Short mmCIF file of all heavy atoms in Angstrom, two decimals:
data_model
loop_
_atom_site.label_atom_id
_atom_site.label_comp_id
_atom_site.label_asym_id
_atom_site.label_seq_id
_atom_site.Cartn_x
_atom_site.Cartn_y
_atom_site.Cartn_z
N MET A 1 0.84 -1.19 0.00
CA MET A 1 0.00 0.00 0.00
C MET A 1 0.87 1.24 0.00
O MET A 1 1.90 1.29 0.66
CB MET A 1 -0.91 -0.02 1.22
CG MET A 1 -1.79 1.18 1.31
SD MET A 1 -3.18 0.83 2.39
CE MET A 1 -3.98 2.39 2.27
N PHE A 2 0.45 2.26 -0.72
CA PHE A 2 1.19 3.52 -0.83
C PHE A 2 1.01 4.35 0.42
O PHE A 2 -0.09 4.59 0.88
CB PHE A 2 0.71 4.28 -2.07
CG PHE A 2 1.36 5.62 -2.23
CD1 PHE A 2 2.71 5.70 -2.56
CD2 PHE A 2 0.66 6.77 -2.04
CE1 PHE A 2 3.32 6.93 -2.70
CE2 PHE A 2 1.25 7.99 -2.19
CZ PHE A 2 2.59 8.07 -2.52
N GLU A 3 2.11 4.81 0.98
CA GLU A 3 2.07 5.66 2.18
C GLU A 3 2.23 7.11 1.75
O GLU A 3 3.11 7.46 0.98
CB GLU A 3 3.23 5.27 3.10
CG GLU A 3 3.20 6.00 4.41
CD GLU A 3 4.30 5.53 5.34
OE1 GLU A 3 4.51 4.31 5.43
OE2 GLU A 3 4.94 6.38 5.94
N THR A 4 1.34 7.99 2.23
CA THR A 4 1.38 9.40 1.86
C THR A 4 2.53 10.10 2.58
O THR A 4 2.75 9.91 3.76
CB THR A 4 0.05 10.08 2.24
OG1 THR A 4 -1.01 9.39 1.59
CG2 THR A 4 0.03 11.52 1.81
N SER A 5 3.26 10.92 1.82
CA SER A 5 4.33 11.72 2.40
C SER A 5 4.47 13.00 1.58
O SER A 5 3.79 13.20 0.59
CB SER A 5 5.64 10.93 2.41
OG SER A 5 6.00 10.53 1.12
N SER A 6 5.37 13.87 2.00
CA SER A 6 5.60 15.13 1.30
C SER A 6 6.86 15.06 0.47
O SER A 6 7.86 14.47 0.87
CB SER A 6 5.73 16.28 2.30
OG SER A 6 4.52 16.45 3.00
N CYS A 7 6.82 15.73 -0.68
CA CYS A 7 7.96 15.79 -1.59
C CYS A 7 9.03 16.70 -0.99
O CYS A 7 8.73 17.81 -0.55
CB CYS A 7 7.49 16.32 -2.94
SG CYS A 7 8.81 16.61 -4.13
N ARG A 8 10.27 16.27 -1.02
CA ARG A 8 11.38 17.05 -0.48
C ARG A 8 11.58 18.35 -1.26
O ARG A 8 11.97 19.36 -0.70
CB ARG A 8 12.68 16.25 -0.54
CG ARG A 8 13.89 17.04 -0.08
CD ARG A 8 15.15 16.22 -0.24
NE ARG A 8 16.27 16.82 0.47
CZ ARG A 8 17.11 17.71 -0.06
NH1 ARG A 8 16.95 18.10 -1.30
NH2 ARG A 8 18.09 18.20 0.65
N VAL A 9 11.29 18.34 -2.55
CA VAL A 9 11.57 19.48 -3.41
C VAL A 9 10.45 20.52 -3.38
O VAL A 9 10.68 21.68 -3.06
CB VAL A 9 11.84 19.03 -4.86
CG1 VAL A 9 12.07 20.20 -5.79
CG2 VAL A 9 13.03 18.07 -4.89
N CYS A 10 9.22 20.10 -3.70
CA CYS A 10 8.10 21.06 -3.80
C CYS A 10 7.26 21.13 -2.53
O CYS A 10 6.38 21.98 -2.42
CB CYS A 10 7.23 20.74 -5.00
SG CYS A 10 6.23 19.24 -4.83
N ARG A 11 7.50 20.23 -1.60
CA ARG A 11 6.79 20.17 -0.31
C ARG A 11 5.32 19.80 -0.43
O ARG A 11 4.60 19.81 0.55
CB ARG A 11 6.92 21.48 0.46
CG ARG A 11 8.34 21.92 0.71
CD ARG A 11 8.99 21.04 1.73
NE ARG A 11 10.31 21.55 2.07
CZ ARG A 11 11.37 20.80 2.21
NH1 ARG A 11 11.27 19.51 2.08
NH2 ARG A 11 12.52 21.32 2.53
N GLN A 12 4.85 19.48 -1.65
CA GLN A 12 3.46 19.06 -1.84
C GLN A 12 3.32 17.59 -1.42
O GLN A 12 4.27 16.83 -1.47
CB GLN A 12 3.05 19.22 -3.30
CG GLN A 12 3.10 20.63 -3.81
CD GLN A 12 2.08 21.53 -3.13
OE1 GLN A 12 0.93 21.14 -2.91
NE2 GLN A 12 2.51 22.73 -2.78
N VAL A 13 2.11 17.22 -1.06
CA VAL A 13 1.84 15.84 -0.69
C VAL A 13 1.99 14.97 -1.94
O VAL A 13 1.57 15.35 -3.03
CB VAL A 13 0.41 15.69 -0.11
CG1 VAL A 13 0.05 14.23 0.08
CG2 VAL A 13 0.31 16.45 1.20
N ILE A 14 2.62 13.84 -1.79
CA ILE A 14 2.75 12.88 -2.89
C ILE A 14 1.51 12.00 -2.84
O ILE A 14 1.37 11.18 -1.94
CB ILE A 14 4.03 12.04 -2.75
CG1 ILE A 14 5.26 12.95 -2.82
CG2 ILE A 14 4.09 10.97 -3.83
CD1 ILE A 14 6.56 12.24 -2.51
N GLU A 15 0.61 12.20 -3.81
CA GLU A 15 -0.67 11.49 -3.81
C GLU A 15 -0.72 10.35 -4.82
O GLU A 15 -1.70 9.65 -4.89
CB GLU A 15 -1.81 12.47 -4.08
CG GLU A 15 -1.94 13.52 -3.00
CD GLU A 15 -3.01 14.54 -3.31
OE1 GLU A 15 -3.51 14.56 -4.45
OE2 GLU A 15 -3.33 15.32 -2.41
N VAL A 16 0.31 10.20 -5.61
CA VAL A 16 0.33 9.15 -6.62
C VAL A 16 1.46 8.17 -6.32
O VAL A 16 2.39 8.49 -5.59
CB VAL A 16 0.51 9.72 -8.05
CG1 VAL A 16 -0.65 10.60 -8.43
CG2 VAL A 16 1.80 10.48 -8.17
N ALA A 17 1.36 7.01 -6.91
CA ALA A 17 2.38 5.99 -6.68
C ALA A 17 3.67 6.29 -7.43
O ALA A 17 4.69 5.67 -7.17
CB ALA A 17 1.85 4.62 -7.09
N ARG A 18 3.65 7.24 -8.38
CA ARG A 18 4.86 7.58 -9.13
C ARG A 18 5.72 8.54 -8.32
O ARG A 18 5.60 9.75 -8.41
CB ARG A 18 4.50 8.16 -10.49
CG ARG A 18 4.16 7.07 -11.48
CD ARG A 18 3.78 7.62 -12.83
NE ARG A 18 2.48 8.28 -12.85
CZ ARG A 18 1.33 7.64 -12.81
NH1 ARG A 18 1.29 6.33 -12.73
NH2 ARG A 18 0.20 8.30 -12.86
N HIS A 19 6.54 7.96 -7.52
CA HIS A 19 7.48 8.73 -6.71
C HIS A 19 8.73 7.88 -6.53
O HIS A 19 8.77 6.73 -6.94
CB HIS A 19 6.88 9.11 -5.36
CG HIS A 19 6.81 7.97 -4.40
ND1 HIS A 19 5.88 6.95 -4.53
CD2 HIS A 19 7.57 7.65 -3.33
CE1 HIS A 19 6.07 6.08 -3.55
NE2 HIS A 19 7.09 6.47 -2.81
N ALA A 20 9.74 8.45 -5.95
CA ALA A 20 10.97 7.71 -5.69
C ALA A 20 11.59 8.21 -4.40
O ALA A 20 11.18 9.23 -3.85
CB ALA A 20 11.95 7.90 -6.85
N ILE A 21 12.58 7.48 -3.96
CA ILE A 21 13.37 7.87 -2.81
C ILE A 21 14.75 8.24 -3.35
O ILE A 21 15.37 7.46 -4.07
CB ILE A 21 13.50 6.71 -1.79
CG1 ILE A 21 12.10 6.25 -1.34
CG2 ILE A 21 14.36 7.13 -0.62
CD1 ILE A 21 11.27 7.29 -0.64
N CYS A 22 15.20 9.43 -3.02
CA CYS A 22 16.48 9.93 -3.54
C CYS A 22 17.62 9.04 -3.07
O CYS A 22 17.74 8.74 -1.87
CB CYS A 22 16.71 11.37 -3.07
SG CYS A 22 18.24 12.09 -3.65
N ASP A 23 18.46 8.62 -4.01
CA ASP A 23 19.60 7.77 -3.68
C ASP A 23 20.69 8.54 -2.94
O ASP A 23 21.62 7.92 -2.41
CB ASP A 23 20.20 7.16 -4.96
CG ASP A 23 19.32 6.05 -5.52
OD1 ASP A 23 18.60 5.40 -4.74
OD2 ASP A 23 19.35 5.84 -6.74
N GLU A 24 20.59 9.86 -2.88
CA GLU A 24 21.59 10.66 -2.17
C GLU A 24 21.13 11.01 -0.76
O GLU A 24 21.80 10.71 0.21
CB GLU A 24 21.90 11.93 -2.97
CG GLU A 24 22.94 12.83 -2.35
CD GLU A 24 24.36 12.27 -2.42
OE1 GLU A 24 24.60 11.23 -3.07
OE2 GLU A 24 25.24 12.85 -1.78
N CYS A 25 19.96 11.65 -0.63
CA CYS A 25 19.51 12.13 0.69
C CYS A 25 18.48 11.23 1.36
O CYS A 25 18.19 11.39 2.54
CB CYS A 25 18.96 13.56 0.57
SG CYS A 25 17.39 13.67 -0.33
N GLY A 26 17.89 10.30 0.61
CA GLY A 26 16.93 9.36 1.18
C GLY A 26 15.52 9.90 1.35
O GLY A 26 14.68 9.25 1.96
N ALA A 27 15.25 11.08 0.80
CA ALA A 27 13.92 11.68 0.94
C ALA A 27 13.03 11.33 -0.25
O ALA A 27 13.51 11.13 -1.36
CB ALA A 27 14.06 13.20 1.06
N PRO A 28 11.71 11.29 -0.03
CA PRO A 28 10.79 11.02 -1.14
C PRO A 28 10.61 12.25 -2.02
O PRO A 28 10.70 13.39 -1.54
CB PRO A 28 9.48 10.66 -0.43
CG PRO A 28 9.55 11.38 0.87
CD PRO A 28 11.01 11.41 1.24
N PHE A 29 10.35 12.02 -3.31
CA PHE A 29 10.07 13.12 -4.23
C PHE A 29 9.23 12.61 -5.39
O PHE A 29 9.19 11.42 -5.65
CB PHE A 29 11.37 13.76 -4.75
CG PHE A 29 12.23 12.84 -5.58
CD1 PHE A 29 12.15 12.85 -6.97
CD2 PHE A 29 13.11 11.96 -4.98
CE1 PHE A 29 12.95 12.00 -7.73
CE2 PHE A 29 13.92 11.11 -5.74
CZ PHE A 29 13.83 11.13 -7.12
N HIS A 30 8.50 13.54 -6.05
CA HIS A 30 7.71 13.17 -7.22
C HIS A 30 8.66 12.74 -8.33
O HIS A 30 9.63 13.44 -8.63
CB HIS A 30 6.90 14.37 -7.73
CG HIS A 30 5.84 14.83 -6.80
ND1 HIS A 30 5.99 15.95 -6.00
CD2 HIS A 30 4.62 14.33 -6.53
CE1 HIS A 30 4.89 16.12 -5.29
NE2 HIS A 30 4.04 15.16 -5.58
N LEU A 31 8.37 11.62 -8.96
CA LEU A 31 9.16 11.17 -10.10
C LEU A 31 8.22 10.60 -11.15
O LEU A 31 7.62 9.55 -10.95
CB LEU A 31 10.19 10.12 -9.69
CG LEU A 31 11.08 9.63 -10.84
CD1 LEU A 31 11.94 10.76 -11.38
CD2 LEU A 31 11.96 8.48 -10.38
N ASN A 32 8.09 11.30 -12.25
CA ASN A 32 7.26 10.86 -13.36
C ASN A 32 8.17 10.66 -14.56
O ASN A 32 8.59 11.62 -15.19
CB ASN A 32 6.18 11.90 -13.68
CG ASN A 32 5.34 11.49 -14.86
OD1 ASN A 32 5.31 10.32 -15.24
ND2 ASN A 32 4.66 12.44 -15.46
N LEU A 33 8.50 9.43 -14.87
CA LEU A 33 9.35 9.13 -16.01
C LEU A 33 8.55 8.84 -17.27
O LEU A 33 9.12 8.56 -18.31
CB LEU A 33 10.26 7.93 -15.69
CG LEU A 33 11.25 8.16 -14.55
CD1 LEU A 33 12.02 6.88 -14.26
CD2 LEU A 33 12.19 9.30 -14.87
N ARG A 34 7.22 8.95 -17.19
CA ARG A 34 6.36 8.71 -18.35
C ARG A 34 6.11 10.01 -19.10
O ARG A 34 5.77 11.02 -18.49
CB ARG A 34 5.04 8.10 -17.90
CG ARG A 34 5.24 6.69 -17.34
CD ARG A 34 3.94 6.07 -16.98
NE ARG A 34 3.03 6.04 -18.13
CZ ARG A 34 1.85 5.47 -18.08
NH1 ARG A 34 1.42 4.90 -16.98
NH2 ARG A 34 1.07 5.48 -19.14
N THR A 35 6.25 9.98 -20.40
CA THR A 35 6.03 11.17 -21.22
C THR A 35 4.56 11.35 -21.59
O THR A 35 4.17 12.42 -22.04
CB THR A 35 6.87 11.14 -22.50
OG1 THR A 35 6.54 9.97 -23.24
CG2 THR A 35 8.35 11.15 -22.17
N ASP A 36 3.74 10.33 -21.37
CA ASP A 36 2.33 10.42 -21.74
C ASP A 36 1.44 10.90 -20.59
O ASP A 36 0.24 11.02 -20.74
CB ASP A 36 1.82 9.08 -22.26
CG ASP A 36 1.89 7.97 -21.22
OD1 ASP A 36 2.77 8.04 -20.34
OD2 ASP A 36 1.09 7.03 -21.30
N LEU A 37 2.03 11.18 -19.44
CA LEU A 37 1.27 11.67 -18.29
C LEU A 37 1.78 13.04 -17.88
O LEU A 37 2.98 13.26 -17.75
CB LEU A 37 1.41 10.72 -17.10
CG LEU A 37 0.82 9.33 -17.27
CD1 LEU A 37 1.13 8.47 -16.06
CD2 LEU A 37 -0.68 9.41 -17.49
N ASP A 38 0.85 13.96 -17.67
CA ASP A 38 1.22 15.31 -17.25
C ASP A 38 1.15 15.38 -15.72
O ASP A 38 0.17 15.85 -15.15
CB ASP A 38 0.27 16.32 -17.89
CG ASP A 38 0.69 17.75 -17.62
OD1 ASP A 38 1.89 17.99 -17.38
OD2 ASP A 38 -0.20 18.64 -17.63
N GLU A 39 2.19 14.89 -15.08
CA GLU A 39 2.28 14.89 -13.62
C GLU A 39 3.61 15.49 -13.20
O GLU A 39 4.57 15.51 -13.97
CB GLU A 39 2.15 13.47 -13.07
CG GLU A 39 0.79 12.88 -13.28
CD GLU A 39 0.67 11.47 -12.70
OE1 GLU A 39 1.66 10.96 -12.15
OE2 GLU A 39 -0.41 10.89 -12.82
N ALA A 40 3.66 15.95 -11.99
CA ALA A 40 4.87 16.58 -11.47
C ALA A 40 6.05 15.62 -11.45
O ALA A 40 5.89 14.42 -11.27
CB ALA A 40 4.61 17.08 -10.04
N SER A 41 7.23 16.18 -11.66
CA SER A 41 8.45 15.42 -11.51
C SER A 41 9.47 16.35 -10.86
O SER A 41 9.83 17.38 -11.44
CB SER A 41 8.96 14.91 -12.85
OG SER A 41 9.94 13.91 -12.65
N CYS A 42 9.89 16.01 -9.68
CA CYS A 42 10.82 16.85 -8.91
C CYS A 42 12.19 16.20 -8.80
O CYS A 42 12.91 16.38 -7.81
CB CYS A 42 10.24 17.12 -7.53
SG CYS A 42 8.69 18.04 -7.57
N GLY A 43 12.54 15.43 -9.80
CA GLY A 43 13.82 14.74 -9.83
C GLY A 43 13.94 13.98 -11.13
O GLY A 43 13.13 14.16 -12.04
N ALA A 44 14.95 13.14 -11.20
CA ALA A 44 15.19 12.41 -12.44
C ALA A 44 16.05 11.19 -12.18
O ALA A 44 16.65 11.04 -11.11
CB ALA A 44 15.90 13.31 -13.44
N ALA A 45 16.12 10.35 -13.20
CA ALA A 45 17.05 9.23 -13.18
C ALA A 45 18.35 9.72 -13.80
O ALA A 45 18.34 10.55 -14.71
CB ALA A 45 16.49 8.07 -13.99
N TYR A 46 19.46 9.25 -13.30
CA TYR A 46 20.79 9.63 -13.80
C TYR A 46 21.59 8.38 -14.09
O TYR A 46 21.43 7.36 -13.42
CB TYR A 46 21.55 10.45 -12.75
CG TYR A 46 21.02 11.85 -12.55
CD1 TYR A 46 19.93 12.10 -11.75
CD2 TYR A 46 21.64 12.93 -13.17
CE1 TYR A 46 19.46 13.39 -11.56
CE2 TYR A 46 21.18 14.22 -12.99
CZ TYR A 46 20.09 14.44 -12.18
OH TYR A 46 19.63 15.71 -12.00
N VAL A 47 22.47 8.49 -15.06
CA VAL A 47 23.36 7.39 -15.40
C VAL A 47 24.79 7.90 -15.27
O VAL A 47 25.12 8.98 -15.74
CB VAL A 47 23.12 6.89 -16.84
CG1 VAL A 47 24.10 5.79 -17.20
CG2 VAL A 47 21.70 6.40 -16.99
N SER A 48 25.61 7.10 -14.60
CA SER A 48 27.03 7.44 -14.51
C SER A 48 27.85 6.20 -14.81
O SER A 48 27.36 5.08 -14.68
CB SER A 48 27.38 7.97 -13.12
OG SER A 48 27.35 6.93 -12.17
N ALA A 49 29.08 6.40 -15.18
CA ALA A 49 29.96 5.28 -15.48
C ALA A 49 30.30 4.50 -14.22
O ALA A 49 30.57 3.30 -14.28
CB ALA A 49 31.23 5.78 -16.15
N ALA A 50 30.28 5.15 -13.10
CA ALA A 50 30.71 4.52 -11.85
C ALA A 50 29.69 3.56 -11.25
O ALA A 50 30.04 2.50 -10.78
CB ALA A 50 31.07 5.60 -10.83
N CYS A 51 28.41 3.95 -11.25
CA CYS A 51 27.45 3.13 -10.51
C CYS A 51 26.17 2.81 -11.26
O CYS A 51 25.19 2.41 -10.66
CB CYS A 51 27.13 3.79 -9.18
SG CYS A 51 26.32 5.39 -9.34
N GLY A 52 26.12 2.99 -12.56
CA GLY A 52 24.91 2.67 -13.30
C GLY A 52 23.84 3.72 -13.11
O GLY A 52 24.12 4.90 -13.05
N MET A 53 22.57 3.30 -12.98
CA MET A 53 21.46 4.23 -12.85
C MET A 53 21.13 4.51 -11.39
O MET A 53 21.10 3.60 -10.57
CB MET A 53 20.22 3.70 -13.55
CG MET A 53 19.13 4.76 -13.63
SD MET A 53 17.55 4.14 -14.19
CE MET A 53 16.80 3.76 -12.63
N SER A 54 20.84 5.78 -11.10
CA SER A 54 20.40 6.22 -9.77
C SER A 54 19.30 7.24 -9.97
O SER A 54 19.17 7.83 -11.03
CB SER A 54 21.55 6.87 -9.01
OG SER A 54 22.61 5.97 -8.82
N VAL A 55 18.49 7.45 -8.94
CA VAL A 55 17.48 8.51 -8.98
C VAL A 55 17.81 9.53 -7.90
O VAL A 55 18.17 9.16 -6.77
CB VAL A 55 16.04 7.97 -8.81
CG1 VAL A 55 15.61 7.17 -10.01
CG2 VAL A 55 15.87 7.16 -7.55
N TYR A 56 17.73 10.81 -8.28
CA TYR A 56 18.03 11.89 -7.34
C TYR A 56 16.94 12.94 -7.43
O TYR A 56 16.43 13.24 -8.51
CB TYR A 56 19.36 12.57 -7.69
CG TYR A 56 20.55 11.64 -7.67
CD1 TYR A 56 21.32 11.47 -8.81
CD2 TYR A 56 20.91 10.94 -6.53
CE1 TYR A 56 22.42 10.63 -8.81
CE2 TYR A 56 22.00 10.10 -6.52
CZ TYR A 56 22.75 9.94 -7.65
OH TYR A 56 23.83 9.10 -7.65
N CYS A 57 16.60 13.54 -6.29
CA CYS A 57 15.70 14.68 -6.29
C CYS A 57 16.41 15.84 -6.99
O CYS A 57 17.64 15.81 -7.15
CB CYS A 57 15.28 15.04 -4.87
SG CYS A 57 16.60 15.70 -3.81
N ASP A 58 15.66 16.85 -7.42
CA ASP A 58 16.26 17.98 -8.14
C ASP A 58 17.35 18.67 -7.31
O ASP A 58 18.36 19.10 -7.87
CB ASP A 58 15.19 19.00 -8.54
CG ASP A 58 14.39 18.55 -9.76
OD1 ASP A 58 14.86 17.66 -10.51
OD2 ASP A 58 13.29 19.10 -9.96
N SER A 59 17.17 18.77 -6.01
CA SER A 59 18.16 19.44 -5.16
C SER A 59 19.50 18.69 -5.18
O SER A 59 20.55 19.28 -5.44
CB SER A 59 17.65 19.54 -3.71
OG SER A 59 16.43 20.23 -3.68
N CYS A 60 19.45 17.40 -4.93
CA CYS A 60 20.68 16.60 -4.93
C CYS A 60 21.24 16.45 -6.33
O CYS A 60 22.46 16.50 -6.54
CB CYS A 60 20.42 15.23 -4.31
SG CYS A 60 20.10 15.29 -2.54
N GLY A 61 20.36 16.29 -7.32
CA GLY A 61 20.81 16.13 -8.70
C GLY A 61 21.59 17.34 -9.19
O GLY A 61 22.65 17.19 -9.81
N ALA A 62 21.12 18.54 -8.88
CA ALA A 62 21.82 19.76 -9.30
C ALA A 62 23.20 19.84 -8.65
O ALA A 62 24.19 20.18 -9.31
CB ALA A 62 20.99 20.99 -8.95
N ARG A 63 23.26 19.51 -7.38
CA ARG A 63 24.54 19.55 -6.67
C ARG A 63 25.51 18.50 -7.23
O ARG A 63 26.68 18.79 -7.49
CB ARG A 63 24.34 19.31 -5.17
CG ARG A 63 25.63 19.38 -4.37
CD ARG A 63 25.39 19.20 -2.88
NE ARG A 63 24.55 18.07 -2.54
CZ ARG A 63 24.93 16.79 -2.55
NH1 ARG A 63 26.17 16.48 -2.89
NH2 ARG A 63 24.12 15.83 -2.20
N LEU A 64 25.02 17.30 -7.47
CA LEU A 64 25.87 16.24 -8.00
C LEU A 64 26.33 16.52 -9.43
O LEU A 64 27.46 16.21 -9.80
CB LEU A 64 25.15 14.89 -7.92
CG LEU A 64 24.92 14.38 -6.49
CD1 LEU A 64 23.97 13.19 -6.50
CD2 LEU A 64 26.23 14.03 -5.83
N GLU A 65 25.45 17.14 -10.23
CA GLU A 65 25.83 17.53 -11.60
C GLU A 65 26.97 18.55 -11.55
O GLU A 65 27.93 18.46 -12.32
CB GLU A 65 24.65 18.13 -12.35
CG GLU A 65 23.66 17.10 -12.85
CD GLU A 65 22.52 17.75 -13.61
OE1 GLU A 65 22.79 18.58 -14.50
OE2 GLU A 65 21.36 17.43 -13.31
N ALA A 66 26.86 19.53 -10.64
CA ALA A 66 27.90 20.56 -10.52
C ALA A 66 29.22 19.94 -10.05
O ALA A 66 30.29 20.28 -10.56
CB ALA A 66 27.45 21.65 -9.55
N GLU A 67 29.15 19.03 -9.08
CA GLU A 67 30.35 18.36 -8.60
C GLU A 67 30.99 17.52 -9.70
O GLU A 67 32.22 17.50 -9.84
CB GLU A 67 30.03 17.48 -7.39
CG GLU A 67 29.71 18.25 -6.13
CD GLU A 67 29.23 17.37 -4.99
OE1 GLU A 67 29.24 16.11 -5.12
OE2 GLU A 67 28.85 17.92 -3.95
N ALA A 68 30.18 16.82 -10.47
CA ALA A 68 30.70 15.99 -11.56
C ALA A 68 31.38 16.87 -12.61
O ALA A 68 32.47 16.53 -13.10
CB ALA A 68 29.58 15.17 -12.19
N ALA A 69 30.77 17.99 -12.95
CA ALA A 69 31.35 18.89 -13.94
C ALA A 69 32.68 19.46 -13.45
O ALA A 69 33.63 19.59 -14.22
CB ALA A 69 30.38 20.03 -14.26
N ALA A 70 32.75 19.77 -12.17
CA ALA A 70 33.97 20.34 -11.60
C ALA A 70 35.13 19.35 -11.58
O ALA A 70 36.29 19.74 -11.68
CB ALA A 70 33.70 20.86 -10.19
N THR A 71 34.81 18.08 -11.47
CA THR A 71 35.86 17.06 -11.40
C THR A 71 36.11 16.37 -12.74
O THR A 71 36.97 15.50 -12.83
CB THR A 71 35.52 15.98 -10.36
OG1 THR A 71 34.32 15.32 -10.74
CG2 THR A 71 35.36 16.59 -8.98
N GLY A 72 35.33 16.72 -13.75
CA GLY A 72 35.47 16.10 -15.06
C GLY A 72 34.80 14.75 -15.16
O GLY A 72 34.99 14.02 -16.13
N SER A 73 33.99 14.39 -14.17
CA SER A 73 33.23 13.13 -14.20
C SER A 73 32.03 13.29 -15.13
O SER A 73 31.65 14.39 -15.51
CB SER A 73 32.75 12.76 -12.80
OG SER A 73 33.84 12.63 -11.93
N ARG A 74 31.40 12.17 -15.43
CA ARG A 74 30.21 12.20 -16.27
C ARG A 74 29.01 11.74 -15.47
O ARG A 74 29.04 10.69 -14.86
CB ARG A 74 30.41 11.33 -17.48
CG ARG A 74 31.56 11.82 -18.33
CD ARG A 74 31.46 11.37 -19.72
NE ARG A 74 30.10 11.57 -20.21
CZ ARG A 74 29.81 11.92 -21.45
NH1 ARG A 74 30.76 12.12 -22.29
NH2 ARG A 74 28.55 12.07 -21.85
N LEU A 75 27.95 12.55 -15.48
CA LEU A 75 26.68 12.22 -14.85
C LEU A 75 25.60 12.72 -15.79
O LEU A 75 25.47 13.92 -16.01
CB LEU A 75 26.55 12.89 -13.48
CG LEU A 75 25.30 12.58 -12.68
CD1 LEU A 75 25.26 11.12 -12.26
CD2 LEU A 75 25.23 13.47 -11.44
N ALA A 76 24.86 11.81 -16.42
CA ALA A 76 23.86 12.19 -17.42
C ALA A 76 22.47 12.05 -16.87
O ALA A 76 22.07 11.00 -16.38
CB ALA A 76 24.02 11.30 -18.65
N ARG A 77 21.71 13.14 -16.95
CA ARG A 77 20.30 13.15 -16.52
C ARG A 77 19.47 12.47 -17.59
O ARG A 77 19.54 12.85 -18.76
CB ARG A 77 19.85 14.58 -16.29
CG ARG A 77 18.43 14.67 -15.76
CD ARG A 77 18.05 16.13 -15.54
NE ARG A 77 16.66 16.23 -15.16
CZ ARG A 77 16.23 16.78 -14.04
NH1 ARG A 77 17.08 17.32 -13.20
NH2 ARG A 77 14.94 16.82 -13.77
N VAL A 78 18.66 11.49 -17.19
CA VAL A 78 17.86 10.74 -18.15
C VAL A 78 16.45 11.30 -18.24
O VAL A 78 15.88 11.39 -19.30
CB VAL A 78 17.80 9.24 -17.77
CG1 VAL A 78 16.90 8.47 -18.71
CG2 VAL A 78 19.19 8.66 -17.74
N GLY A 79 15.85 11.67 -17.12
CA GLY A 79 14.47 12.11 -17.14
C GLY A 79 14.27 13.48 -16.65
O GLY A 79 15.08 14.18 -16.20
#
C-alpha cells in the first residue's frame, strides 16, 4: 500500500504511486518518467559510469551535476 508523504523538493503531498526515494539524501520526491502523463516530476534518473542508474531529487541532482562537472566526471540526466 502507498504511504502518503511530502515531496522534499516542492513540499506538496505525494498522492500518486509515481514517486521515488532519492539515492543521495533518502527523501521522497515526485518522479514521473512517463512522457504520456502530465504529472509533477521533482527529480530524475541519472546514469554514470561509476554506478549505473540512480534517482536523485532535483536538489541533490543539481549539486551532483555541478560536482561531476567540476571534477570532469560524467553524470547524465535521463528524465
Side-chain angles (χ1 to χ4, degrees):
M1 179 160 180
F2 177 69
E3 185 176 316
T4 303
S5 58
S6 296
C7 175
R8 177 183 193 270
V9 177
C10 72
R11 304 288 186 223
Q12 298 294 318
V13 172
I14 298 172
E15 297 176 349
V16 297
R18 280 179 288 286
H19 75 286
I21 303 298
C22 180
D23 287 331
E24 181 71 8
C25 69
F29 64 96
H30 294 102
L31 181 64
N32 178 19
L33 296 176
R34 293 184 56 177
T35 58
D36 63 331
L37 295 176
D38 186 26
E39 293 181 359
S41 195
C42 298
Y46 288 82
V47 177
S48 72
C51 63
M53 190 190 92
S54 300
V55 291
Y56 301 121
C57 67
D58 282 341
S59 302
C60 291
R63 181 178 49 76
L64 292 169
E65 283 181 49
E67 289 173 5
T71 62
S73 301
R74 298 203 46 145
L75 183 66
R77 183 179 174 122
V78 176

